[in-house]
Amino acid sequence: MLLGFISLLLTVFQGLMQRICIPEGWTLHMLPCKKEGDLSSDAHGGARRLLSSGGEGSSHCTSKGKVPLLSIEALHQLHIFIFVLAITHVLFSLFTMLLGGAKIRQWKHWEDSIQKDVTQSAPTKVTHVNQFEFIRDRFKGLGKDSVLISWVHAFLKQFYGSVTKSDYTTMRLGFIKTHCRGNPQFDFHKYMMRALEADFKRVVGISWYLWVFVVIFLLLNVDGWHTYFWIAFIPLILLLAVGTKLEHVITQLAHEVAEKHSAIEGELVVNPSDEHFWFHRPRIVLYLLHFILFQNAFEIAFFFWILTTYGFNSCIMGQVGFIVPRLVIGVIIQLLCSYSSLPLYAIVTQMGSSFKKAIFDEHVQEGLVGWAQKIKKRKAKGGSSKPESTEGSAGGIPLTTRNLQEQPLMEETKINNAV
């Protein structure tokens, strides 16, 4: 829909843009290529022709001794570039979701084994904190006393065994004890997959600020600056920062428990909190992943657009020494995001203070929204302040309309206020 809307705007206003005239000398500034020889024989000449040829706007501006801001041919190429960019972004997001989803589905057998253990009542015993595998992996060692080494360990951890069974088991139990204590057999894996699918519906979209980034890049793509090369490192650096932060959140959970207790009676329980995330907002990670995937898709889309429009040997394409690293970085970003960052995001962001509405099944969500709307209408009409208690369940969690009256259903709200 966004692609169609942008194309529609370009079509509607193409006549107006053609009649915007600029001095011909302005077209010689901030070019992506250095002016050499006959302009009509290289990509620079092709770019010049895209700016100054065709349409009534050309004759209108020529009569004034000027050239149009954008010609019909330039608008046509812009349509093509927007289409290529949108399709590339959707395909890359789909590829990431498929690979990342396959990685997360491998955790299903952990969930199944935990569900079997829950049904078997085990005697409660006191265990030294260092005997838990989660504490041994995340707390012991040099990182125990050094913040710097702890961050270095988190940085390296995202490349190998980013999430282990002990990590999954501990974070799952922490989530259940915090948000649905009354349902120890809650299917955490199923909830996590539903939440991930809901979040990625937004990631596939292209927000306005991403288009602003595209415009800024095209303006800064000036000959000699090698902007196209240096900008490829932005998503890589951001992705490494995101992966390191998510791994460090797991480490912080282990540190909190190990520093407060020397021995634990029963199971090891961590305390989920927004305090562990940037600016106390777990959803910032989603916005960063959105930008990373879009920027990586933009790099590849721009490469293919230049390749098909001007050819591999054009000056806009750049030197081979700049082309190959860009493509290699793009592949690294795609694989690292799929196999490490996305699975980390799926489980670690559940360690915030709030839950997501995906915790309820789809039919339960619809029922809750319907109840909340009926209560609002009843209050607006001055109805009874004590509505009938209509009970239901979401995965074994009791729900009543009275709860909904006190705390309307929101996308992310604490389950203690909703249940």
Side-chain angles (χ1 to χ4, degrees), residues 227-238:
T227 307
Y228 188 21
F229 174 74
W230 297 113
I231 207 172
F233 289 92
I234 294 179
L236 179 61
I237 294 173
L238 288 178

Side-chain angles (χ1 to χ4, degrees), residues 42-322:
D42 57 12
H44 173 261
R48 284 282 313 280
R49 289 195 303 275
L50 289 181
L51 292 173
S52 61
S53 65
E56 295 180 359
S58 178
S59 58
H60 170 75
C61 294
T62 302
S63 62
K64 297 182 179 181
K66 298 180 179 181
V67 295
L69 178 64
L70 285 174
S71 67
I72 293 180
E73 179 63 20
L75 290 171
H76 175 67
Q77 291 294 335
L78 188 57
H79 276 284
I80 295 176
F81 174 66
I82 292 174
F83 178 78
V84 172
L85 174 59
I87 295 301
T88 305
H89 176 60
V90 171
L91 291 178
F92 273 38
S93 299
L94 177 62
F95 181 77
T96 302
M97 189 64 179
L98 289 176
L99 292 183
K103 178 71 174 179
I104 298 173
R105 278 189 287 272
Q106 294 178 3
W107 303 345
K108 178 61 178 174
H109 68 278
W110 295 345
E111 180 72 29
D112 295 338
S113 64
I114 294 173
Q115 294 283 358
K116 292 180 181 178
D117 294 338
V118 169
T119 57
Q120 301 175 1
S121 58
T124 302
K125 61 180 181 178
V126 178
T127 307
H128 193 275
V129 69
N130 289 330
Q131 293 181 356
F132 288 98
E133 183 180 353
F134 178 72
I135 301 297
R136 292 200 307 268
D137 294 342
R138 295 286 180 174
F139 182 69
K140 293 183 67 175
L142 297 176
K144 177 180 179 180
D145 303 315
S146 174
V147 176
L148 178 60
I149 295 180
S150 176
W151 278 100
V152 173
H153 177 263
F155 173 79
L156 298 176
K157 184 67 174 175
Q158 62 182 312
F159 300 107
Y160 66 95
S162 57
V163 178
T164 63
K165 183 178 180 179
S166 63
D167 297 336
Y168 179 88
T169 303
T170 304
M171 287 188 284
R172 174 190 180 275
L173 183 61
F175 179 89
I176 292 177
K177 292 294 185 181
T178 302
H179 299 303
C180 45
R181 185 181 295 272
N183 184 23
Q185 291 186 318
F186 176 74
D187 195 333
F188 178 71
H189 186 272
K190 185 178 180 180
Y191 155 72
M192 187 173 55
M193 290 297 296
R194 288 203 305 266
L196 178 64
E197 291 172 359
D199 287 340
F200 244 71
K201 290 179 182 178
R202 300 183 180 183
V203 172
V204 175
I206 304 178
S207 304
W208 64 269
Y209 54 85
L210 299 179
W211 288 113
V212 172
F213 168 80
V214 170
V215 174
I216 293 175
F217 165 78
L218 294 176
L219 290 175
L220 296 179
N221 189 25
V222 180
D223 177 54
W225 291 13
H226 302 295
T227 307
Y228 188 21
F229 174 74
W230 297 113
I231 207 172
F233 289 92
I234 294 179
L236 179 61
I237 294 173
L238 288 178
L239 187 63
L240 294 176
V242 167
T244 302
K245 179 60 179 177
L246 294 176
E247 288 286 355
H248 194 257
V249 169
I250 305 177
T251 302
Q252 285 179 295
L253 294 173
H255 279 220
E256 283 187 352
V257 175
E259 290 171 353
K260 292 179 180 179
H261 307 280
S262 59
I264 295 176
E265 182 179 1
E267 299 175 299
L268 177 65
V269 180
V270 296
N271 183 31
S273 173
D274 289 345
E275 300 290 331
H276 301 308
F277 297 90
W278 284 313
F279 305 104
H280 305 163
R281 295 186 61 189
R283 292 195 68 79
I284 290 180
V285 179
L286 178 64
Y287 298 141
L288 289 176
L289 287 177
H290 191 187
F291 176 79
I292 290 167
L293 289 175
F294 175 81
Q295 210 281 328
N296 193 48
F298 170 75
E299 288 279 320
I300 304 301
F302 190 77
F303 170 80
F304 282 109
W305 180 68
I306 295 298
L307 180 65
T308 55
T309 304
Y310 301 109
F312 186 80
N313 296 322
S314 67
C315 61
I316 299 181
M317 180 66 72
Q319 303 174 3
V320 177
F322 291 105

